[in-house]
Amino acid sequence: MNTHNNNNNNNKATLDIFKSVPSEEDREEEQTRFNRLCHLLMSIPDENSESNVCQKLERDMKDPKFAVELRTDASTGLRGVFVNQRVEENQEVLRIPLMHCFRDDRPPQWLLDQELGEQEKSDSHSNSHADQWSTRLAASLLDVQLRPCNQNEIQKLWLSLLPDPIHLRASLPVHWSDEALASTNCAALQLASDASFFARADAVNRILPLLKHQHADSDTATSHLDIEEEEEIVLGELEIQRALDIVQTRSCRVKQIHGYGPALRLLAPVFDCINHGGTMANAQFTLEENPGDPPALVVFATQQIEVGQELTINYGESAKPEWKCLSSYGFLPTPQELFNAETDEDDSSAEIYINGKRYEINASVIPTDLVYDVADLLRLERQQDSQHLPQDGAEDEDENYPLTAEVALHIAARVNDVACQLNENQESLEGRSPSERYALDVASQLRSRQYDTLVATAAGLREYAMRLID
């Protein structure tokens, strides 16, 4: 993860296979809860104080529905946050008080006690704040979820707006079957999913016994369950995994206000509904603490945002290339979100193997090590072929200009072969569960994206080689 702020949510995942598009009545009810949540989070203590665009709208219109809106596409079920008044560049859009966010530096006391005890026993900082942020946020979320009687209105509203846990789970490759992962033809995604699986297992093993002990005699933990003790363990594991899903896809990373100490990880109401815009994002966020105001997570526009336009941010390095965004958040970014028109840089990628070594490539960038490795390979082949001994100066020319026409055409041929292989993998969706069908469908989309990248890369290499030959 990079040093920039990163927000995670899962609103981009299309779940048509689940037929989960909400009805008009459900969308209106959801919007009402969202409006109420905004009103509670961004109420204005002083009419004469500086306020963001949403607060101004609420003050001027006397109706919170005119602030920001959570709109749901009637055909796809995709959600997003929209503003209903033109926002100028650098203007503040949202201000979420830090007191209403889940913070990884303030976990439940029962988890904190365990961490302190482990540090005393080991006399080390292996369980430091920086290493355990996802476990801490998941524990905080679970602690609130299992104590409904203690939830305030903001927490209840926010929890009611979280995505369906079944749909969310289906979107994350860490929960996919080996078949679905293998069908992506993306080793990087498979390795990332394996690493995430074991990290989650560690988090579950840390939280589960503490959670069972903490809520053993709590009516709120068992009033809705009529199951045997053995089943409670399974349910506890599932609930922890669901909390980790929320943390993975909807938390954000921000620098401390005073600029020192580990980065702060947050689950912030309303803010977690803002979608990824990639290179086309129109807003950024930061922590602020103005005199007389409590610390807050602030969203401000990086360009003019017109009436009815969606508010978006850039999730950062964890959202590129495609496989990493899918692994982190459960959706594939669009090609437009990965392409920077100003710098002409493309963050899409596909992988190829040559002699057992993996390379990530795209139409804009060919890895230097790939060029040198292929040049060395071709040089070795020439030396081994008595009929094609290197001419005087040919070897020096390769060393000075490694991306020769011969090297470019060799890479292009290999890239084209890999692209053809991607088209051969077509799994049948018949007889599959909805979750498995969804995973295989997204895997197919990822293969298609890699295919497009490979075809464009091969074409660019051939064009480059022809220019050198001519």
Side-chain angles (χ1 to χ4, degrees), residues 13 31 35 51-52 58 98 119 136 204 227 231 275 302 332 342 358 370 379 430 462-463:
Q31 178 62 52
N35 289 343
S51 57
N52 58 53
E58 183 174 52
L98 207 54
Q119 289 183 16
R136 286 174 158 223
V204 170
I227 53 181
E231 293 178 319
N275 278 328
T302 56
L332 290 171
E342 294 183 359
R358 177 182 176 275
L370 171 60
R379 186 181 302 113
E430 293 185 9
R462 287 193 292 267
E463 180 181 349

Side-chain angles (χ1 to χ4, degrees), residues 99-137:
M99 69 180 74
H100 297 307
C101 302
F102 289 101
R103 305 169 49 161
D104 71 320
D105 62 342
R106 297 183 181 179
Q109 189 62 45
W110 47 267
L111 181 65
L112 187 59
D113 289 342
Q114 187 214 42
E115 291 181 359
L116 293 175
E118 290 179 350
Q119 289 183 16
E120 291 176 359
K121 291 180 181 179
S122 62
D123 193 27
S124 70
H125 296 281
S126 59
N127 296 302
S128 65
H129 156 74
D131 296 332
Q132 300 295 328
W133 68 268
S134 59
T135 301
R136 286 174 158 223
L137 279 179

Side-chain angles (χ1 to χ4, degrees), residues 28-42 64 70 79 100 102 141 144-145 148 150-163 250 268-270 272-273:
E28 290 178 355
E29 198 276 332
E30 185 177 65
Q31 178 62 52
T32 299
R33 284 183 277 120
F34 183 82
N35 289 343
R36 175 60 179 167
L37 179 58
C38 292
H39 173 71
L40 292 172
L41 289 170
M42 292 174 282
L70 180 67
R79 300 191 303 180
H100 297 307
F102 289 101
L141 178 57
V144 170
Q145 287 178 321
N150 295 335
Q151 295 171 9
N152 59 43
E153 186 177 3
I154 288 177
Q155 291 171 338
K156 289 179 179 179
L157 288 168
W158 178 68
L159 291 173
S160 74
L161 292 169
L162 292 177
R250 305 182 79 82
V270 175
D272 70 323
C273 293

Side-chain angles (χ1 to χ4, degrees), residues 67-306:
V68 291
E69 288 187 358
L70 180 67
R71 298 184 186 177
T72 303
D73 188 284
S75 60
T76 65
L78 301 185
R79 300 191 303 180
V81 176
F82 294 75
V83 296
N84 288 332
Q85 175 174 305
R86 188 172 67 181
V87 182
E88 301 299 332
E89 184 177 357
N90 296 322
Q91 185 175 3
E92 183 180 309
V93 183
L94 298 172
R95 178 175 289 266
I96 312 298
L98 207 54
M99 69 180 74
H100 297 307
C101 302
F102 289 101
R103 305 169 49 161
D104 71 320
D105 62 342
R106 297 183 181 179
Q109 189 62 45
W110 47 267
L111 181 65
L112 187 59
D113 289 342
Q114 187 214 42
E115 291 181 359
L116 293 175
E118 290 179 350
Q119 289 183 16
E120 291 176 359
K121 291 180 181 179
S122 62
D123 193 27
S124 70
H125 296 281
S126 59
N127 296 302
S128 65
H129 156 74
D131 296 332
Q132 300 295 328
W133 68 268
S134 59
T135 301
R136 286 174 158 223
L137 279 179
S140 297
L141 178 57
L142 287 162
D143 196 55
V144 170
Q145 287 178 321
L146 294 176
R147 298 176 183 270
C149 294
N150 295 335
Q151 295 171 9
N152 59 43
E153 186 177 3
I154 288 177
Q155 291 171 338
K156 289 179 179 179
L157 288 168
W158 178 68
L159 291 173
S160 74
L161 292 169
L162 292 177
D164 182 279
I166 297 176
H167 299 169
L168 180 56
R169 183 181 179 87
S171 72
L172 295 174
V174 66
H175 300 305
W176 289 4
S177 67
D178 290 341
E179 180 186 4
L181 283 172
S183 73
T184 64
N185 278 53
C186 181
L189 178 62
Q190 296 177 55
L191 291 173
S193 298
D194 287 345
S196 182
F197 176 86
F198 289 110
R200 279 172 171 255
D202 180 66
V204 170
N205 290 335
R206 289 176 59 82
I207 294 176
L208 183 56
L210 298 174
L211 200 61
K212 287 176 64 64
H213 180 268
Q214 178 69 15
H215 298 281
D217 299 322
S218 173
D219 292 336
T220 60
T222 59
S223 60
H224 63 295
L225 305 174
D226 185 19
I227 53 181
E228 299 297 329
E229 183 178 354
E230 292 79 9
E231 293 178 319
E232 289 185 27
I233 297 177
V234 175
L235 180 61
E237 292 174 353
L238 180 60
E239 290 297 326
I240 294 171
Q241 288 285 359
R242 287 176 173 177
L244 289 167
D245 290 344
I246 294 295
V247 170
Q248 177 178 327
T249 58
R250 305 182 79 82
S251 63
C252 66
R253 176 182 182 271
V254 289
K255 293 180 180 179
Q256 296 279 6
I257 293 176
H258 301 295
Y260 55 84
L264 193 62
R265 312 284 182 149
L266 304 173
L267 281 172
V270 175
F271 175 80
D272 70 323
C273 293
I274 301 177
N275 278 328
H276 174 62
T279 58
M280 301 185 297
N282 53 29
Q284 292 181 353
F285 61 97
T286 187
L287 280 185
E288 284 189 5
E289 185 174 8
N290 298 325
D293 293 332
L297 181 65
V298 178
V299 180
F300 60 92
T302 56
Q303 63 189 54
Q304 184 172 287
I305 307 176
E306 299 297 336

Side-chain angles (χ1 to χ4, degrees), residues 404-409 461-470:
T404 63
E406 182 185 18
V407 170
L409 290 174
L461 285 167
R462 287 193 292 267
E463 180 181 349
Y464 169 82
M466 292 303 102
R467 289 201 305 267
L468 292 182
I469 294 173
D470 293 340

Side-chain angles (χ1 to χ4, degrees), residues 19 85 101 351 371 426:
K19 303 183 183 301
Q85 175 174 305
C101 302
E351 62 182 24
V371 175
Q426 299 294 334

